[in-house]
Amino acid sequence: MPRPKETRMNPWMKWILLATPLALTQCRSSSVTPIGTVTPDGNNNVMLAHGQGDVAYEAAPHTFSARPHPPRNRSDAPPPNLAALPKMVSRIDQCYGPSGGAIASGGPSGGAIPKPIKKPAPPKPKYKQVTYGGGSAPPSSPAPIQTTPSAGALGKGAAGRGSSSGFDAGAAPPQSPPPPPVTASKSANTRGETAADVRRAEKAEKKKDRGRDKAAEERPGASAAAPAEAQVARDEAEDDNSVAYEPVQQVGDGEAQYSDWGQATYLSNDDTMSLSSAQRVIFAIDKFLPVPLEHIRPHELLNYFSFETAEVAQTDDFSVLPEIAKDPKQDGIYNLALAIRGRPVDKQARRNGNLTFVVDRSGSMSDEGRMDYLKRGMRKMMGELKTGDLVNVVLFDHEVCVPVENFVVGRDKPEVLEKAIERMKPRGSTDVHAGLTRGYELADRGYQHTYNNRVVLVTDALANTGNTDPRTMSMVAKYYDERKIRLSGVGVGTEFNDALLDKLTERGKGAYVFLGSEAEVDAVFGPRFISLLETTAMDVHFQLHLPPSLRMNVFYGEESSAVKEDVQAIHYFANTSQLFLSDLMARGKKLRPQDQIMLTIEYEDPESGQKMVEERAFQLAEIEREAYNIRKGRLLIAWADRLALMASRPQPIGTAPIAGAWIDADGWQQCEQGKADLRDMAQGMNDPEVTRVLSLWDKFCSRYEQPRNPVRRTPASGPDAWPSAR
């Protein structure tokens, strides 16, 4: 075979080939990085070369060093000193009257709300305003307002636990001009479904409210007695002129468009630890009622159902069970589930409670048996009390009255409390603000340092009398939370004001639930009553640390951000657990088993007030598995998404709350497809709760009439037939 003809090389090509190895050697560091892998950018973030998303990520294993923490050895709560507790006062006859009617509030019987008394107070440190998403921080605010509660509002035992930005317990909270527009924005990504859009709007409103609160505390020259109406007008004017800033997404191909690889993210599954959404959705399905889109909150559905958790060690306050698995429908996406469980507490181990029940007895409580639910729950609650618990009962409609004050379990006759509960009857209109303020004032006056001091608001929250502004009421809850008096909410009735209770318990950092059936009443005021009252950790922040090979793609919770101030701390309730479910994007679409993730839990001890930290680091190889929690979490999110899809459809005309009454052929078809999808996801899951979810979907779909197959008929015709029959 003849040899190929020799080709002469251009002299310039020789110089280029000779110079290339030298240039590459000078450009590389001592650690050679092959072309097509990854290189660090100027911000120490690892980026894929050429933006190729399918190239394997090469780097040394990324590990975290979890900080050790001292052991939390705890024992049962100390026995109470009954003799030292305040004397009981019964005003049952004054509040109900001889025949059960109520008298007007005021004076010693009704407990009139005191007027504010201004006193000087030391200045409060200014909050640091943090901007997230690339914007510049706004200028610092001047000195804060200096107002304090009156002596009557502070009550006994208030020293050492109050806020320096207080106001009188019976007066409206301090109002201030609105702050400048908030430019911070949440991190993390959203799924883009309709339900997510609703929740994003709610979170934006919550952030706006928090900005108003901070500015109210920092801005000088505002009068504590400024009318609430004027403040609302100023807020609305600002809302019209404010600008919402969104983080700018980097332009690029594949993974190179992201700059948040390995970013630590603060996560909040639910800032109110609420079960209301799930309870209301289930109630609507059972009653064949429409399911409003705003009631479908995936994170609350996750909280409502149970997951596998790890035992909490005697030396810890939390346990974390991590699992990660490849998403079956998205290439390069991995589902991460962190099942977090708090320290278990039983009736004997829990702290005694200074419990103030603020009870709605307005006329609307006569609807749907709401008052019957309320009374059944409070009777059930009496069996969950323990010796030494201090109980106040505040009734409100358009007036406020206190039938029982300073009732002590184990010291005073239970018949007194039973009588106060039994004689409750609906009447009048609804002044939530007055009842809540009076309840807080009583709780503050009887504050017990070693007790769990809590207000429990039981209402349909249909405020129509007095100050009905939710922001004013929520500022009251926020103020008393800073004075270590917590709030829990119990909603009753199908039309209860969910938004108001959500806002109140968010500021009071409490839980709230919905009573839609006798079974829910018995559970909330029975076995779960301790979870409504007792907190095992205060002001909790969860922070997820990721290696440079991963980034947060979707978090199925309420809030997430790289900035701590953008995520509200929560109070963690006894005997509860949460599932933090997220989608992580993997660099090069492959999980690196040699890398680690870490969860940091920062909180305050509810008894000592000491700052605590617990950290857990996990190697991905040890937690990668197609696990039960991930499968169940996927199914619940899919269920929530399908409910949101159906809730966003136009409601058929002439619907009735019975099976087969909704005539919507396309809706029925989508329901049938949802049945098949959910049953496929549930294959092999022997779980009663999964079975219940499937049955709930079946019942939801049964509201639709099954379309009949069209049948061709030849209409009768003849001389005697009606014209319309032809």
Side-chain angles (χ1 to χ4, degrees):
M1 180 180 290
R3 297 175 64 185
K5 185 177 179 180
E6 181 179 354
T7 302
R8 298 188 62 183
M9 181 178 291
N10 189 311
W12 290 107
M13 290 296 297
K14 291 183 179 180
W15 282 107
I16 292 172
L17 291 175
L18 290 172
T20 299
L22 177 62
L24 290 175
T25 303
Q26 291 176 344
C27 291
R28 292 176 185 169
S29 62
S30 58
S31 176
V32 178
T33 304
I35 295 177
T37 57
V38 295
T39 56
D41 64 9
N43 298 319
N44 293 324
N45 292 319
V46 183
M47 304 296 292
L48 274 172
H50 314 305
Q52 296 176 4
D54 57 349
V55 178
Y57 170 71
E58 300 291 342
H62 191 94
T63 60
F64 295 97
S65 298
R67 289 172 284 179
H69 60 268
R72 332 281 200 216
N73 294 318
R74 303 180 186 275
S75 57
D76 290 348
N81 183 0
L82 301 184
L85 295 173
K87 183 179 179 181
M88 185 193 72
V89 179
S90 173
R91 306 186 186 94
I92 292 178
D93 288 339
Q94 293 93 321
C95 285
Y96 296 109
S99 61
I103 63 168
S105 63
S109 62
I113 300 172
K115 294 182 179 180
I117 302 175
K118 296 183 180 179
K119 292 185 178 181
K124 184 175 182 179
K126 291 179 283 187
Y127 287 91
K128 181 180 179 182
Q129 294 192 8
V130 181
T131 305
Y132 182 64
S136 58
S140 59
S141 302
I145 305 170
Q146 298 183 13
T147 58
T148 56
S150 67
L154 289 173
K156 299 178 182 179
R161 62 186 178 87
S163 165
S164 60
S165 62
F167 53 91
D168 181 78
Q175 305 289 336
S176 306
V182 180
T183 59
S185 60
K186 301 288 183 194
S187 72
N189 303 273
T190 52
R191 302 194 308 279
E193 284 99 15
T194 311
D197 293 338
V198 174
R199 296 303 298 156
R200 279 200 298 274
E202 292 179 358
K203 288 189 283 187
E205 181 62 27
K206 288 181 180 180
K207 179 186 284 187
K208 190 183 297 181
D209 288 343
R210 291 178 203 161
R212 294 188 184 111
D213 287 349
K214 287 187 179 181
E217 293 165 349
E218 296 176 357
R219 193 173 296 274
S223 170
E229 294 80 1
Q231 176 62 27
V232 171
R234 288 193 295 269
D235 289 339
E236 291 175 347
E238 180 195 285
D239 291 344
D240 294 337
N241 298 324
S242 61
V243 180
Y245 296 93
E246 296 293 338
V248 179
Q249 189 176 29
Q250 298 184 6
V251 179
D253 296 328
E255 299 167 3
Q257 65 179 305
Y258 303 111
S259 61
D260 56 351
W261 296 100
Q263 180 173 271
T265 307
Y266 288 92
L267 306 174
S268 173
N269 215 26
D270 183 8
D271 55 25
T272 61
M273 298 284 285
S274 169
L275 302 178
S276 169
S277 167
Q279 291 167 326
R280 298 191 77 179
V281 166
I282 293 172
F283 178 85
I285 291 174
D286 283 338
K287 302 296 183 182
F288 297 102
L289 300 174
V291 181
L293 186 59
E294 61 271 16
H295 291 174
I296 304 170
R297 301 169 187 164
H299 57 279
E300 290 190 19
L301 291 172
L302 289 176
N303 289 342
Y304 183 81
F305 293 96
S306 60
F307 291 89
E308 291 180 348
T309 58
E311 292 292 329
V312 181
Q314 289 291 330
T315 57
D316 300 337
D317 283 325
F318 292 93
S319 70
V320 182
L321 179 63
E323 300 166 351
I324 192 167
K326 184 175 177 59
D327 191 289
K329 297 182 179 180
Q330 303 179 80
D331 190 24
I333 299 297
Y334 288 80
N335 308 132
L336 174 67
L338 300 172
I340 300 172
R341 179 180 177 183
R343 172 171 51 89
V345 179
D346 59 18
K347 182 175 173 180
Q348 182 61 32
R350 75 164 172 87
R351 294 174 294 167
N352 276 110
N354 171 27
L355 310 176
T356 301
F357 290 89
V358 180
V359 178
D360 185 348
R361 64 164 177 182
S362 62
S364 59
M365 293 293 289
S366 63
D367 299 337
E368 305 172 327
R370 298 172 193 175
M371 182 59 73
D372 294 334
Y373 279 165
L374 187 157
K375 293 164 72 170
R376 179 188 180 100
M378 294 197 69
R379 285 192 291 264
K380 188 82 174 177
M381 171 271 303
M382 290 186 63
E384 300 299 319
L385 299 176
K386 58 185 285 188
T387 300
D389 284 345
L390 186 67
V391 179
N392 300 310
V393 178
V394 177
L395 304 175
F396 73 90
D397 40 76
H398 56 283
E399 300 168 333
V400 180
C401 198
V402 183
V404 177
E405 183 177 354
N406 300 330
F407 174 89
V408 176
V409 178
R411 185 196 69 182
D412 301 320
K413 295 181 179 180
E415 292 82 3
V416 176
L417 194 55
E418 291 170 357
K419 185 177 181 181
I421 295 171
E422 197 58 38
R423 294 182 65 179
M424 293 178 185
K425 292 182 180 179
R427 45 148 279 175
S429 53
T430 311
D431 192 341
V432 178
H433 179 261
L436 187 62
T437 303
R438 184 71 176 106
Y440 270 124
E441 190 272 336
L442 278 179
D444 193 80
R445 189 166 66 195
Y447 183 88
Q448 303 295 316
H449 283 281
T450 60
Y451 277 39
N452 173 16
N453 295 269
R454 183 167 297 274
V455 171
V456 181
L457 175 63
V458 188
T459 178
D460 57 17
L462 301 177
N464 55 22
T465 302
N467 191 331
T468 60
D469 182 10
R471 285 172 289 188
T472 303
M473 289 184 269
S474 65
M475 287 180 70
V476 175
K478 182 177 184 293
Y479 165 72
Y480 279 103
D481 181 76
E482 293 176 352
R483 293 183 57 74
K484 301 187 184 301
I485 299 175
R486 319 303 180 189
L487 175 67
S488 293
V490 179
V492 291
T494 57
E495 298 178 354
F496 95 95
N497 190 341
D498 178 89
L500 176 58
L501 271 189
D502 185 49
K503 188 178 289 289
L504 291 178
T505 51
E506 180 200 4
R507 299 302 171 84
K509 296 181 183 174
Y512 78 103
V513 295
F514 168 68
L515 304 182
S517 66
E518 291 184 351
E520 288 286 357
V521 172
D522 293 344
V524 168
F525 287 96
R528 294 208 306 260
F529 184 68
I530 190 172
S531 300
L532 192 66
L533 300 182
E534 183 65 285
T535 50
T536 56
M538 315 294 292
D539 291 324
V540 186
H541 271 108
F542 299 98
Q543 187 182 28
L544 177 62
H545 304 263
L546 297 176
S549 60
L550 295 172
R551 64 175 293 274
M552 178 69 69
N553 193 55
V554 175
F555 175 58
Y556 297 96
E558 186 165 22
E559 294 182 322
S560 62
S561 175
V563 180
K564 186 176 184 178
E565 288 79 1
D566 284 351
V567 177
Q568 177 165 309
I570 67 168
H571 296 333
Y572 208 90
F573 286 79
N575 303 337
T576 59
S577 61
Q578 291 187 324
L579 186 79
F580 285 62
L581 185 66
S582 57
D583 292 346
L584 304 181
M585 180 182 291
R587 182 70 60 83
K589 300 186 178 181
K590 298 293 183 183
L591 194 71
R592 283 167 44 92
Q594 64 269 37
D595 286 346
Q596 286 187 338
I597 63 170
M598 185 173 73
L599 184 70
T600 298
I601 308 174
E602 302 174 87
Y603 61 101
E604 178 184 301
D605 184 274
E607 299 174 17
S608 66
Q610 181 182 355
K611 298 294 183 182
M612 303 286 194
V613 176
E614 290 188 18
E615 287 187 328
R616 308 281 193 280
F618 307 97
Q619 191 170 20
L620 294 175
E622 298 175 352
I623 66 174
E624 184 180 8
R625 54 186 175 271
E626 188 66 23
Y628 166 84
N629 282 351
I630 290 179
R631 290 196 61 196
K632 188 171 182 178
R634 287 174 185 158
L635 184 138
L636 290 173
I637 293 297
W639 180 52
D641 288 344
R642 282 158 178 77
L643 282 173
L645 178 65
M646 301 304 293
S648 63
R649 293 181 57 80
Q651 185 174 333
I653 300 175
T655 56
I658 56 175
W662 293 39
I663 303 174
D664 182 351
D666 186 53
W668 179 86
Q669 184 60 48
Q670 291 193 32
C671 256
E672 289 298 301
Q673 183 60 51
K675 284 183 184 180
D677 293 343
L678 292 175
R679 292 190 188 283
D680 286 344
M681 298 179 72
Q683 286 292 330
M685 297 185 69
N686 186 19
D687 183 340
E689 289 187 342
V690 170
T691 303
R692 186 186 183 199
V693 168
L694 297 179
S695 66
L696 283 169
W697 181 256
D698 290 346
K699 187 166 186 179
F700 174 84
C701 293
S702 69
R703 67 184 58 198
Y704 292 98
E705 180 190 52
Q706 181 174 350
R708 298 179 178 86
N709 293 327
V711 178
R712 293 184 178 274
R713 295 187 176 91
T714 303
S717 60
D720 297 332
W722 290 100
S724 61
R726 296 188 181 94

